Amino acid sequence: MSANSWANGLIKTLKDPSNHIISSNLAVVISDKYRKAKHHYLVLPLEEIPSIFNLNRKHLPLLEELHLLALNVIEVKSENVENFKIGFHNQPSMQRLHLHVISKDFISDCLKTKKHWNSFNTALFLDYKDLYRQLDETGEVKRLDSATLKTLTNTELKCNQCELVAKNMPTLKQHLLQHFNGDDL
Ligand code: AMP
Ligand code: ZN
């Protein structure tokens, strides 16, 4: 295990079976410890794959398995797949490949910063299907260059459910709550 114990937090969580919501012989689903929405799960392979940048074409069947488990956890929670985003961060911070399964409400006290928001709501979030296609077509997942990462991280706060551009995170969070409550906007 690397010296960076913080980045290994997911691996620690993964090693305790009591944290497994669902598992197969290839992968497990855990809850995100700092969920950024009402529902936020992570699907991790048991194989020691550090990140999306270590994937090649031979991993395509494993990715299909991760996606299947993502769909399973949504079903187990009696939720509708249409209300979820399933994909990877283009700039992951934690070790071990992990597929995010997150509900589109984005109601959570842990959702605090512009970086949090934009990591799920700009091209910093790579939809499962897009990553799968990229891997299938090119045999690898390309890193975004640092200028693009910076631009995406600093993108204005656009609502994911209407045309609103919020001036700051508290305003956006208040607005998201109104969507969630079904208020007229
Ligand atoms: P990423 O930016 O894709 O690397 O996302 C890492 C995710 O792991 C974040 O959504 C964190 O909230 C979550 N996380 C961090 N530490 C843990 C942990 N020990 N157990 C479960 N989830 C964690
Ligand atoms: Zn809105």
Side-chain angles (χ1 to χ4, degrees), residues 48-60:
E48 292 181 9
I49 303 169
S51 81
I52 51 172
F53 305 117
N54 303 96
L55 293 171
N56 58 52
R57 282 197 186 92
K58 84 169 165 43
H59 295 114
L60 289 170

Side-chain angles (χ1 to χ4, degrees), residues 159-164 175-176 179 185:
C159 177
N160 62 339
Q161 295 159 68
C162 76
E163 297 304 310
L164 180 104
H175 177 78
L176 292 170
H179 275 301
L185 287 167

